[in-house]
Protein backbone atom coordinates (compact mmCIF):
# COMPACT_ATOMS: atom_id res chain seq x y z
CA UNK A 1 0.00 0.00 0.00
CA UNK A 2 1.51 3.29 -1.11
CA UNK A 3 1.65 6.19 1.29
CA UNK A 4 0.24 8.59 -1.31
CA UNK A 5 -2.76 6.38 -2.05
CA UNK A 6 -6.23 7.84 -1.51
CA UNK A 7 -9.25 5.72 -0.59
CA UNK A 8 -12.99 6.29 -0.32
CA UNK A 9 -15.95 4.18 0.82
CA UNK A 10 -16.98 1.73 -1.87
CA UNK A 11 -20.31 1.72 -3.68
CA UNK A 12 -20.58 -1.95 -2.70
CA UNK A 13 -21.50 -1.00 0.87
CA UNK A 14 -23.67 1.47 2.72
CA UNK A 15 -22.12 2.99 5.82
CA UNK A 16 -24.70 4.07 8.38
CA UNK A 17 -24.42 5.95 11.61
CA UNK A 18 -27.10 4.66 13.93
CA UNK A 19 -27.17 6.02 17.46
CA UNK A 20 -23.45 6.75 17.22
CA UNK A 21 -22.54 3.28 15.95
CA UNK A 22 -21.00 2.89 12.51
CA UNK A 23 -22.78 0.02 10.78
CA UNK A 24 -21.45 -1.15 7.43
CA UNK A 25 -24.19 -2.84 5.43
CA UNK A 26 -23.14 -4.84 2.34
CA UNK A 27 -24.98 -3.74 -0.80
CA UNK A 28 -23.40 -5.82 -3.57
CA UNK A 29 -22.98 -9.57 -3.34
CA UNK A 30 -19.77 -10.96 -1.93
CA UNK A 31 -18.88 -8.24 0.58
CA UNK A 32 -19.76 -10.39 3.56
CA UNK A 33 -18.94 -14.07 3.98
CA UNK A 34 -22.57 -14.74 4.78
CA UNK A 35 -25.57 -12.98 3.37
CA UNK A 36 -26.93 -11.66 6.63
CA UNK A 37 -23.77 -10.15 8.05
CA UNK A 38 -23.35 -6.55 9.00
CA UNK A 39 -20.07 -5.05 10.11
CA UNK A 40 -18.88 -2.50 12.55
CA UNK A 41 -15.43 -1.12 13.37
CA UNK A 42 -13.63 -0.93 16.65
CA UNK A 43 -12.65 2.47 18.05
CA UNK A 44 -9.37 2.60 16.13
CA UNK A 45 -11.05 1.44 12.98
CA UNK A 46 -13.79 4.03 13.32
CA UNK A 47 -11.29 6.88 13.70
CA UNK A 48 -9.48 5.75 10.57
CA UNK A 49 -12.71 5.14 8.62
CA UNK A 50 -13.75 8.74 9.21
CA UNK A 51 -10.53 9.87 7.50
CA UNK A 52 -10.98 7.68 4.42
CA UNK A 53 -12.89 10.39 2.59
CA UNK A 54 -11.52 10.12 -0.93
CA UNK A 55 -9.34 13.19 -0.45
CA UNK A 56 -6.61 12.48 2.08
CA UNK A 57 -3.61 10.29 1.36
CA UNK A 58 -2.52 7.58 3.77
CA UNK A 59 0.33 9.84 4.89
CA UNK A 60 -2.06 12.72 5.59
CA UNK A 61 -4.35 10.45 7.55
CA UNK A 62 -1.45 9.24 9.69
CA UNK A 63 -0.40 12.85 10.33
CA UNK A 64 -3.93 13.90 11.29
CA UNK A 65 -4.39 10.99 13.67
CA UNK A 66 -0.93 11.58 15.21
CA UNK A 67 -2.06 15.06 16.18
CA UNK A 68 -5.39 13.88 17.52
CA UNK A 69 -4.30 10.74 19.38
CA UNK A 70 -1.39 9.79 21.64
CA UNK A 71 0.85 7.16 20.21
CA UNK A 72 3.91 6.57 18.13
CA UNK A 73 3.47 7.66 14.53
CA UNK A 74 4.81 4.28 13.44
CA UNK A 75 2.09 2.48 15.39
CA UNK A 76 -0.60 4.75 13.98
CA UNK A 77 0.75 4.19 10.48
CA UNK A 78 0.59 0.43 11.01
CA UNK A 79 -3.03 0.73 12.13
CA UNK A 80 -3.99 2.91 9.18
CA UNK A 81 -2.35 0.60 6.67
CA UNK A 82 -3.74 -2.45 8.43
CA UNK A 83 -7.33 -1.32 8.36
CA UNK A 84 -7.13 0.18 4.87
CA UNK A 85 -5.77 -3.13 3.57
CA UNK A 86 -8.52 -5.07 5.28
CA UNK A 87 -11.27 -2.75 4.09
CA UNK A 88 -9.83 -2.91 0.57
CA UNK A 89 -9.76 -6.70 0.68
CA UNK A 90 -13.41 -6.73 1.75
CA UNK A 91 -14.35 -4.26 -1.01
CA UNK A 92 -15.51 -1.74 1.58
CA UNK A 93 -13.22 0.99 0.23
CA UNK A 94 -11.82 1.69 -3.22
CA UNK A 95 -8.71 3.50 -4.41
CA UNK A 96 -9.41 6.95 -5.80
CA UNK A 97 -7.37 7.83 -8.83
CA UNK B 1 -10.93 -12.36 13.24
CA UNK B 2 -9.73 -8.92 12.38
CA UNK B 3 -8.76 -6.57 15.14
CA UNK B 4 -10.42 -3.68 13.34
CA UNK B 5 -13.59 -4.97 11.71
CA UNK B 6 -16.20 -6.92 13.60
CA UNK B 7 -18.95 -8.92 12.03
CA UNK B 8 -22.27 -8.49 13.70
CA UNK B 9 -25.50 -10.39 13.39
CA UNK B 10 -28.13 -7.72 13.61
CA UNK B 11 -30.78 -10.22 14.63
CA UNK B 12 -28.79 -11.73 17.47
CA UNK B 13 -26.38 -9.15 18.80
CA UNK B 14 -27.25 -6.17 20.90
CA UNK B 15 -26.02 -3.48 18.58
CA UNK B 16 -26.69 -0.55 20.78
CA UNK B 17 -25.35 -0.37 24.29
CA UNK B 18 -26.59 3.04 25.33
CA UNK B 19 -29.64 4.09 23.39
CA UNK B 20 -31.61 2.03 20.91
CA UNK B 21 -33.01 3.56 17.72
CA UNK B 22 -36.63 4.65 17.68
CA UNK B 23 -37.33 2.16 14.89
CA UNK B 24 -35.37 -1.03 14.28
CA UNK B 25 -37.64 -2.93 11.92
CA UNK B 26 -40.61 -2.17 9.71
CA UNK B 27 -43.09 -4.36 7.82
CA UNK B 28 -44.64 -2.98 4.67
CA UNK B 29 -47.61 -4.62 3.00
CA UNK B 30 -46.89 -3.45 -0.52
CA UNK B 31 -50.26 -4.64 -1.78
CA UNK B 32 -53.25 -6.62 -0.61
CA UNK B 33 -53.56 -8.08 -4.10
CA UNK B 34 -52.26 -11.53 -4.93
CA UNK B 35 -51.83 -13.61 -8.07
CA UNK B 36 -52.95 -16.69 -6.11
CA UNK B 37 -56.39 -17.14 -4.61
CA UNK B 38 -55.70 -19.30 -1.57
CA UNK B 39 -58.78 -20.19 0.41
CA UNK B 40 -57.08 -19.84 3.81
CA UNK B 41 -55.51 -16.42 3.20
CA UNK B 42 -56.54 -13.53 5.41
CA UNK B 43 -55.75 -10.78 2.98
CA UNK B 44 -55.60 -11.69 -0.72
CA UNK B 45 -57.58 -9.54 -3.14
CA UNK B 46 -57.61 -10.36 -6.85
CA UNK B 47 -54.47 -9.26 -8.68
CA UNK B 48 -56.55 -7.23 -11.12
CA UNK B 49 -58.55 -5.41 -8.42
CA UNK B 50 -58.27 -1.90 -9.80
CA UNK B 51 -59.87 -0.17 -6.81
CA UNK B 52 -57.33 -1.74 -4.45
CA UNK B 53 -54.46 -0.94 -6.77
CA UNK B 54 -55.48 2.69 -7.07
CA UNK B 55 -55.67 3.06 -3.29
CA UNK B 56 -52.18 1.64 -2.76
CA UNK B 57 -49.32 3.83 -1.67
CA UNK B 58 -47.46 5.41 -4.56
CA UNK B 59 -43.80 4.66 -5.20
CA UNK B 60 -42.81 8.09 -3.93
CA UNK B 61 -44.84 7.72 -0.74
CA UNK B 62 -43.25 4.35 -0.02
CA UNK B 63 -39.81 5.85 -0.60
CA UNK B 64 -40.62 8.70 1.77
CA UNK B 65 -41.61 6.19 4.43
CA UNK B 66 -38.44 4.18 3.86
CA UNK B 67 -36.33 7.32 4.00
CA UNK B 68 -37.82 8.27 7.34
CA UNK B 69 -37.47 4.71 8.60
CA UNK B 70 -33.75 4.76 7.78
CA UNK B 71 -33.34 8.14 9.47
CA UNK B 72 -34.89 6.64 12.63
CA UNK B 73 -32.37 3.78 12.59
CA UNK B 74 -34.34 1.04 10.87
CA UNK B 75 -32.15 -1.85 9.70
CA UNK B 76 -34.79 -4.40 8.67
CA UNK B 77 -37.73 -4.08 6.32
CA UNK B 78 -40.12 -6.90 5.53
CA UNK B 79 -41.98 -6.65 2.22
CA UNK B 80 -45.15 -8.66 2.32
CA UNK B 81 -48.64 -8.53 0.93
CA UNK B 82 -50.62 -9.90 -0.88
CA UNK B 83 -47.85 -10.73 -3.27
CA UNK B 84 -45.24 -7.95 -3.18
CA UNK B 85 -43.84 -8.83 -6.60
CA UNK B 86 -47.16 -7.88 -8.19
CA UNK B 87 -46.16 -4.26 -7.89
CA UNK B 88 -44.58 -3.01 -11.09
CA UNK B 89 -42.30 -0.77 -9.05
CA UNK B 90 -41.01 -3.56 -6.82
CA UNK B 91 -37.47 -3.44 -8.23
CA UNK B 92 -37.34 0.32 -7.76
CA UNK B 93 -38.56 0.05 -4.15
CA UNK B 94 -36.24 -2.88 -3.40
CA UNK B 95 -33.11 -1.14 -4.70
CA UNK B 96 -34.05 2.08 -2.94
CA UNK B 97 -34.35 0.18 0.33
CA UNK B 98 -31.07 -1.66 -0.03
CA UNK B 99 -29.25 1.56 -0.97
CA UNK B 100 -30.47 3.05 2.30
CA UNK B 101 -28.50 0.29 4.03
CA UNK B 102 -31.56 -1.67 5.05
CA UNK B 103 -31.82 -5.46 4.98
CA UNK B 104 -34.87 -6.80 3.20
CA UNK B 105 -37.02 -9.78 4.11
CA UNK B 106 -39.28 -10.73 1.22
CA UNK B 107 -42.38 -12.89 1.63
CA UNK B 108 -43.41 -14.30 -1.76
CA UNK B 109 -45.03 -17.24 -3.47
CA UNK B 110 -42.15 -17.21 -6.02
CA UNK B 111 -44.59 -17.32 -8.95
CA UNK B 112 -43.30 -13.99 -10.30
CA UNK B 113 -39.58 -14.70 -9.81
CA UNK B 114 -38.15 -14.20 -13.29
CA UNK B 115 -34.54 -14.73 -14.43
CA UNK B 116 -34.15 -10.96 -14.15
CA UNK B 117 -35.44 -10.88 -10.57
CA UNK B 118 -33.23 -13.82 -9.58
CA UNK B 119 -30.23 -12.00 -11.03
CA UNK B 120 -31.21 -8.88 -9.10
CA UNK B 121 -31.38 -10.79 -5.80
CA UNK B 122 -28.09 -12.48 -6.64
CA UNK B 123 -26.24 -9.25 -7.39
CA UNK B 124 -27.86 -7.07 -4.71
CA UNK B 125 -28.75 -9.65 -2.05
CA UNK B 126 -31.61 -8.86 0.31
CA UNK B 127 -29.32 -9.91 3.22
CA UNK B 128 -32.12 -12.03 4.64
CA UNK B 129 -33.36 -15.34 3.34
CA UNK B 130 -36.38 -14.89 1.08
CA UNK B 131 -39.36 -16.78 2.51
CA UNK B 132 -41.29 -18.73 -0.11
CA UNK B 133 -44.68 -20.19 0.73
CA UNK B 134 -45.34 -23.54 -0.93
CA UNK B 135 -48.46 -25.65 -0.50
CA UNK B 136 -47.41 -28.94 -1.99
CA UNK B 137 -45.04 -30.76 -4.26
CA UNK B 138 -47.72 -31.85 -6.72
CA UNK B 139 -49.58 -29.65 -9.15
CA UNK B 140 -52.98 -30.93 -8.06
CA UNK B 141 -52.21 -30.35 -4.38
CA UNK B 142 -50.69 -26.92 -4.84
CA UNK B 143 -53.33 -25.62 -7.21
CA UNK B 144 -56.19 -26.96 -5.10
CA UNK B 145 -54.98 -24.42 -2.54
CA UNK B 146 -54.03 -21.52 -4.82
CA UNK B 147 -56.98 -21.96 -7.19
CA UNK B 148 -54.90 -20.71 -10.11
CA UNK B 149 -54.03 -22.90 -13.07
CA UNK B 150 -50.34 -22.82 -13.89
CA UNK B 151 -49.33 -21.43 -10.48
CA UNK B 152 -47.54 -24.65 -9.47
CA UNK B 153 -45.25 -24.69 -12.47
CA UNK B 154 -44.54 -20.96 -12.13
CA UNK B 155 -43.70 -21.31 -8.43
CA UNK B 156 -41.42 -24.28 -9.11
CA UNK B 157 -39.71 -22.30 -11.86
CA UNK B 158 -39.22 -19.38 -9.48
CA UNK B 159 -37.72 -21.66 -6.85
CA UNK B 160 -35.44 -23.23 -9.46
CA UNK B 161 -34.21 -19.77 -10.48
CA UNK B 162 -33.41 -18.89 -6.88
CA UNK B 163 -31.47 -22.15 -6.56
CA UNK B 164 -29.57 -21.60 -9.80
CA UNK B 165 -28.57 -18.08 -8.80
CA UNK B 166 -27.74 -19.17 -5.26
CA UNK B 167 -30.15 -16.67 -3.74
CA UNK B 168 -30.67 -17.64 -0.09
CA UNK B 169 -34.25 -18.66 0.61
CA UNK B 170 -36.34 -20.93 2.78
CA UNK B 171 -39.72 -22.51 2.15
CA UNK B 172 -42.68 -22.64 4.49
CA UNK B 173 -46.04 -24.32 4.25
CA UNK B 174 -49.54 -24.52 5.61
CA UNK B 175 -51.27 -27.46 7.21
CA UNK B 176 -54.28 -27.93 5.00
CA UNK B 177 -56.54 -30.84 4.26
CA UNK B 178 -55.19 -30.88 0.72
CA UNK B 179 -51.55 -31.42 1.69
CA UNK B 180 -51.81 -33.31 4.98
CA UNK B 181 -50.41 -36.49 3.39
CA UNK B 182 -47.39 -34.66 2.03
CA UNK B 183 -45.64 -33.23 5.08
CA UNK B 184 -42.92 -35.87 5.16
CA UNK B 185 -42.25 -35.61 1.44
CA UNK B 186 -42.27 -31.80 1.65
CA UNK B 187 -39.81 -31.78 4.52
CA UNK B 188 -37.53 -34.32 2.81
CA UNK B 189 -37.56 -32.21 -0.36
CA UNK B 190 -36.84 -29.04 1.63
CA UNK B 191 -33.62 -30.51 3.01
CA UNK B 192 -32.17 -30.08 -0.50
CA UNK B 193 -32.50 -26.31 -0.25
CA UNK B 194 -29.09 -25.04 0.88
CA UNK B 195 -30.40 -22.53 3.42
CA UNK B 196 -32.96 -24.80 5.06
CA UNK B 197 -31.20 -25.52 8.33
CA UNK B 198 -34.47 -26.41 10.04
CA UNK B 199 -37.74 -28.02 8.97
CA UNK B 200 -40.21 -25.74 7.20
CA UNK B 201 -42.46 -23.59 9.34
CA UNK B 202 -46.17 -24.14 8.90
CA UNK B 203 -49.13 -21.86 9.18
CA UNK B 204 -51.73 -23.68 11.23
CA UNK B 205 -53.81 -20.96 12.83
CA UNK B 206 -55.68 -19.40 9.97
CA UNK B 207 -56.62 -15.83 10.62
CA UNK B 208 -59.88 -14.33 9.55
CA UNK B 209 -60.08 -11.82 6.73
CA UNK B 210 -58.81 -8.35 7.48
CA UNK B 211 -61.73 -6.95 5.47
CA UNK B 212 -64.26 -8.96 7.50
CA UNK B 213 -65.48 -10.88 4.42
CA UNK B 214 -67.97 -13.18 6.16
CA UNK B 215 -68.29 -15.67 3.32
CA UNK B 216 -64.54 -16.20 3.22
CA UNK B 217 -64.37 -16.24 7.01
CA UNK B 218 -66.79 -19.17 7.12
CA UNK B 219 -64.47 -21.05 4.75
CA UNK B 220 -61.42 -20.16 6.84
CA UNK B 221 -63.08 -21.37 10.05
CA UNK B 222 -63.75 -24.72 8.41
CA UNK B 223 -60.05 -25.12 7.61
CA UNK B 224 -59.00 -24.85 11.24
CA UNK B 225 -57.80 -28.16 12.60
CA UNK B 226 -59.27 -29.53 15.83
CA UNK B 227 -56.90 -28.84 18.76
CA UNK B 228 -55.92 -32.54 19.00
CA UNK B 229 -54.79 -32.49 15.36
CA UNK B 230 -52.82 -29.28 15.99
CA UNK B 231 -51.11 -31.04 18.88
CA UNK B 232 -50.31 -34.04 16.68
CA UNK B 233 -48.57 -31.78 14.20
CA UNK B 234 -46.73 -29.79 16.87
CA UNK B 235 -45.47 -32.99 18.48
CA UNK B 236 -44.35 -34.74 15.31
CA UNK B 237 -40.85 -34.09 16.60
CA UNK B 238 -41.67 -34.48 20.24
CA UNK B 239 -38.21 -33.96 21.84
CA UNK B 240 -37.70 -30.72 19.92
CA UNK B 241 -41.21 -29.55 20.79
CA UNK B 242 -40.70 -30.23 24.51
CA UNK B 243 -37.32 -28.48 24.46
CA UNK B 244 -38.80 -25.48 22.69
CA UNK B 245 -41.70 -25.29 25.13
CA UNK B 246 -39.37 -25.45 28.14
CA UNK B 247 -37.27 -22.67 26.72
CA UNK B 248 -40.36 -20.63 25.96
CA UNK B 249 -42.05 -21.10 29.33
CA UNK B 250 -38.86 -20.18 31.17
CA UNK B 251 -38.86 -16.78 29.53
CA UNK B 252 -42.34 -15.69 28.67
CA UNK B 253 -45.07 -17.22 30.71
CA UNK B 254 -47.06 -15.22 33.15
CA UNK B 255 -50.61 -13.91 33.31
CA UNK B 256 -50.73 -10.57 31.46
CA UNK B 257 -53.19 -8.83 33.76
CA UNK B 258 -55.42 -6.20 32.23
CA UNK B 259 -52.77 -4.75 29.91
CA UNK B 260 -53.81 -5.70 26.41
CA UNK B 261 -50.39 -5.48 24.82
CA UNK B 262 -48.02 -7.82 26.61
CA UNK B 263 -46.13 -8.42 23.36
CA UNK B 264 -43.44 -6.40 21.61
CA UNK B 265 -45.87 -4.68 19.23
CA UNK B 266 -45.00 -1.05 18.55
CA UNK B 267 -41.75 -1.27 20.49
CA UNK B 268 -39.25 0.09 17.97
CA UNK B 269 -41.17 -1.62 15.20
CA UNK B 270 -44.39 -1.46 13.29
CA UNK B 271 -46.17 -2.26 10.10
CA UNK B 272 -47.42 -0.10 7.25
CA UNK B 273 -50.43 -1.37 5.35
CA UNK B 274 -50.91 -1.01 1.61
CA UNK B 275 -52.78 2.27 2.00
CA UNK B 276 -50.48 4.14 4.36
CA UNK B 277 -51.75 3.26 7.81
CA UNK B 278 -49.04 2.56 10.37
CA UNK B 279 -49.93 -0.30 12.73
CA UNK B 280 -48.28 -1.57 15.92
CA UNK B 281 -48.01 -5.02 14.30
CA UNK B 282 -48.74 -6.72 11.01
CA UNK B 283 -52.01 -8.32 12.05
CA UNK B 284 -53.54 -5.46 14.03
CA UNK B 285 -56.17 -3.64 12.00
CA UNK B 286 -58.52 -2.20 14.59
CA UNK B 287 -59.19 1.36 13.35
CA UNK B 288 -58.43 3.00 16.71
CA UNK B 289 -54.92 1.51 16.70
CA UNK B 290 -53.95 2.73 13.22
CA UNK B 291 -51.98 5.89 12.50
CA UNK B 292 -52.61 7.60 9.18
CA UNK B 293 -49.24 8.43 7.59
CA UNK B 294 -50.95 10.92 5.31
CA UNK B 295 -51.46 13.06 8.41
CA UNK B 296 -48.24 12.46 10.28
CA UNK B 297 -44.87 10.74 10.38
CA UNK B 298 -43.50 7.42 11.59
CA UNK B 299 -41.72 9.32 14.34
CA UNK B 300 -44.91 10.97 15.56
CA UNK B 301 -46.65 7.61 15.62
CA UNK B 302 -43.79 5.97 17.51
CA UNK B 303 -43.39 8.72 20.07
CA UNK B 304 -46.95 9.99 20.55
CA UNK B 305 -49.50 7.50 19.27
CA UNK B 306 -48.18 3.97 19.80
CA UNK B 307 -47.37 4.50 23.50
CA UNK B 308 -51.04 5.30 24.06
CA UNK B 309 -52.05 2.10 22.23
CA UNK B 310 -49.59 0.10 24.33
CA UNK B 311 -51.27 1.36 27.49
CA UNK B 312 -54.74 0.19 26.50
CA UNK B 313 -56.41 -1.97 29.11
CA UNK B 314 -58.97 -4.72 28.82
CA UNK B 315 -62.51 -4.01 29.98
CA UNK B 316 -64.36 -7.12 28.84
CA UNK B 317 -65.30 -9.07 31.96
CA UNK B 318 -64.85 -12.41 30.22
CA UNK B 319 -61.31 -11.41 29.19
CA UNK B 320 -60.53 -10.18 32.71
CA UNK B 321 -61.78 -13.45 34.18
CA UNK B 322 -59.93 -15.67 31.69
CA UNK B 323 -57.12 -14.22 29.53
CA UNK B 324 -55.91 -11.64 32.09
CA UNK B 325 -55.34 -14.44 34.62
CA UNK B 326 -54.08 -17.08 32.19
CA UNK B 327 -50.51 -18.30 32.57
CA UNK B 328 -50.68 -19.85 29.09
CA UNK B 329 -51.05 -16.47 27.40
CA UNK B 330 -47.60 -16.83 25.88
CA UNK B 331 -48.55 -19.90 23.85
CA UNK B 332 -52.05 -18.72 23.02
CA UNK B 333 -52.70 -17.07 19.67
CA UNK B 334 -55.25 -14.73 21.25
CA UNK B 335 -54.06 -11.15 21.19
CA UNK B 336 -55.67 -7.78 20.48
CA UNK B 337 -55.12 -8.21 16.74
CA UNK B 338 -56.70 -11.66 16.59
CA UNK B 339 -59.47 -10.63 18.96
CA UNK B 340 -60.37 -7.80 16.61
CA UNK B 341 -60.36 -10.06 13.54
CA UNK B 342 -62.59 -12.56 15.32
CA UNK B 343 -64.89 -10.31 17.32
CA UNK B 344 -64.28 -6.66 16.35
CA UNK B 345 -63.07 -5.89 19.86
CA UNK B 346 -59.54 -5.93 21.26
CA UNK B 347 -60.37 -7.84 24.41
CA UNK B 348 -62.50 -10.87 23.69
CA UNK B 349 -61.24 -14.41 24.36
CA UNK B 350 -61.08 -16.56 21.23
CA UNK B 351 -62.36 -19.99 22.20
CA UNK B 352 -60.60 -21.91 19.43
CA UNK B 353 -57.15 -20.60 20.38
CA UNK B 354 -57.99 -21.03 24.07
CA UNK B 355 -58.75 -24.72 23.38
CA UNK B 356 -55.50 -25.15 21.44
CA UNK B 357 -53.46 -23.67 24.30
CA UNK B 358 -55.23 -25.84 26.89
CA UNK B 359 -54.70 -28.96 24.77
CA UNK B 360 -50.98 -28.24 24.63
CA UNK B 361 -50.79 -27.52 28.36
CA UNK B 362 -52.52 -30.79 29.21
CA UNK B 363 -50.15 -32.68 26.94
CA UNK B 364 -47.20 -31.04 28.69
CA UNK B 365 -48.55 -31.94 32.13
CA UNK B 366 -49.21 -28.34 33.13
CA UNK B 367 -52.95 -28.82 33.48
CA UNK B 368 -55.22 -31.70 34.40
CA UNK B 369 -58.22 -32.47 32.19
CA UNK B 370 -60.66 -30.69 34.51
CA UNK B 371 -58.57 -27.56 35.05
CA UNK B 372 -58.71 -24.21 33.32
CA UNK B 373 -55.55 -22.14 33.13
CA UNK B 374 -56.98 -19.03 34.79
CA UNK B 375 -57.75 -20.92 38.00
CA UNK B 376 -54.27 -22.20 38.84
CA UNK B 377 -52.78 -20.47 41.91
CA UNK B 378 -49.60 -22.60 41.80
CA UNK B 379 -48.87 -22.02 38.10
CA UNK B 380 -45.31 -20.85 38.85
CA UNK B 381 -44.51 -24.10 40.66
CA UNK B 382 -45.89 -26.10 37.76
CA UNK B 383 -43.80 -24.17 35.25
CA UNK B 384 -40.66 -24.66 37.34
CA UNK B 385 -41.33 -28.39 37.64
CA UNK B 386 -41.93 -28.69 33.89
CA UNK B 387 -38.85 -26.72 32.93
CA UNK B 388 -36.56 -28.64 35.27
CA UNK B 389 -38.00 -32.04 34.37
Amino acid sequence: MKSDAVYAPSDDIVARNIEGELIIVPLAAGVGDMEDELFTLNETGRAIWDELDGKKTITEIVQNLSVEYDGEEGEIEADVIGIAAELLKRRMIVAVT
Amino acid sequence: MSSYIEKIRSDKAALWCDSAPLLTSLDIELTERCNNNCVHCYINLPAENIAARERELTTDKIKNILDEAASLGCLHVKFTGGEPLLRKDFEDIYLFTRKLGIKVLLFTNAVLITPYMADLFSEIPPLQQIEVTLYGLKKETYESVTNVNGSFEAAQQGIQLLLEKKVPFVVKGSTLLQNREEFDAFEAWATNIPDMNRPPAYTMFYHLRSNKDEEKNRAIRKLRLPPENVLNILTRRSPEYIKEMKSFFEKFTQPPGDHLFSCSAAKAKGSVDSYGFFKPCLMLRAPDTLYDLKKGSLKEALTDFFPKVQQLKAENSDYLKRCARCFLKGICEQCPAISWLENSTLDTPVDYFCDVAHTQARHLGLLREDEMSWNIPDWETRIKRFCSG
Side-chain angles (χ1 to χ4, degrees), chain B residues 14-34:
Chain B
L15 292 179
W16 295 273
C17 300
D18 301 325
S19 61
L22 197 56
L23 183 69
T24 57
S25 68
L26 182 68
D27 304 334
I28 302 183
E29 289 172 328
L30 288 177
T31 176
E32 290 194 3
R33 295 174 297 119
C34 187

Side-chain angles (χ1 to χ4, degrees), chain B residues 66-209:
Chain B
L66 289 163
D67 247 336
E68 193 197 353
S71 75
L72 298 175
C74 180
L75 262 174
H76 303 261
V77 163
K78 178 198 296 175
F79 288 132
T80 182
E83 171 52 50
L85 299 184
L86 264 183
R87 281 193 66 126
K88 303 273 187 253
D89 56 0
F90 177 82
E91 179 190 356
D92 189 9
I93 292 167
Y94 173 73
L95 286 173
F96 184 84
T97 310
R98 290 291 292 109
K99 287 176 181 174
L100 287 170
I102 294 175
K103 300 167 72 165
V104 169
L105 171 58
L106 172 64
F107 282 7
T108 180
N109 55 32
V111 166
L112 296 174
I113 300 277
T114 59
Y116 181 83
M117 291 302 294
D119 278 337
L120 175 70
F121 294 135
S122 173
E123 288 161 18
I124 308 290
L127 300 185
Q128 292 196 255
Q129 296 161 335
I130 292 172
E131 295 193 12
V132 176
T133 310
L134 196 64
Y135 301 114
L137 296 176
K138 296 177 193 161
K139 177 181 168 66
E140 53 271 30
T141 309
Y142 182 89
E143 293 185 0
S144 71
V145 178
T146 65
N147 294 306
V148 176
N149 285 335
S151 56
F152 175 73
E153 190 181 354
Q156 286 294 327
Q157 191 174 34
I159 286 170
Q160 194 56 39
L161 286 166
L162 295 177
L163 285 169
E164 283 171 14
K165 297 295 177 182
K166 297 185 169 53
V167 177
F169 73 100
V170 296
V171 290
K172 53 191 180 181
S174 288
T175 55
L176 292 157
L177 196 61
Q178 292 94 323
N179 61 19
R180 64 180 170 177
E181 304 297 332
E182 294 184 19
F183 294 156
D184 290 338
F186 179 54
E187 290 175 12
W189 171 83
T191 59
N192 296 315
I193 297 171
D195 291 275
M196 288 295 294
N197 52 17
R198 61 185 188 280
Y202 293 101
T203 299
M204 275 192 289
F205 304 121
Y206 303 112
H207 298 134
L208 300 186
R209 300 284 295 188

Side-chain angles (χ1 to χ4, degrees), chain A residues 14 16 18-19 21 25-29 33-42 79 82-83 86-87 90, chain B residues 2-10 16 19 21 70 74 98-103 122-125 127 168:
Chain A
V14 181
R16 298 185 57 187
I18 303 177
E19 299 295 322
E21 289 283 337
V25 183
L27 178 61
D33 301 331
M34 290 167 57
E35 293 299 354
D36 60 355
E37 278 174 349
L38 306 178
F39 299 85
T40 189
L41 301 179
N42 65 13
D79 278 338
I83 190 166
E86 191 175 347
L87 290 167
R90 289 182 183 273
Chain B
S2 160
S3 58
Y4 303 106
I5 302 175
E6 296 170 29
K7 293 176 191 174
I8 46 176
R9 294 285 300 268
S10 61
W16 295 273
S19 61
C74 180
R98 290 291 292 109
K99 287 176 181 174
L100 287 170
I102 294 175
K103 300 167 72 165
S122 173
E123 288 161 18
I124 308 290
L127 300 185

Side-chain angles (χ1 to χ4, degrees), chain B residues 174-175 202-206 223-225 229-230 233-234 352:
Chain B
S174 288
T175 55
Y202 293 101
T203 299
M204 275 192 289
F205 304 121
Y206 303 112
L223 295 171
R224 288 177 172 169
L225 298 171
N229 295 34
V230 171
I233 292 171
L234 289 172
Y352 172 69

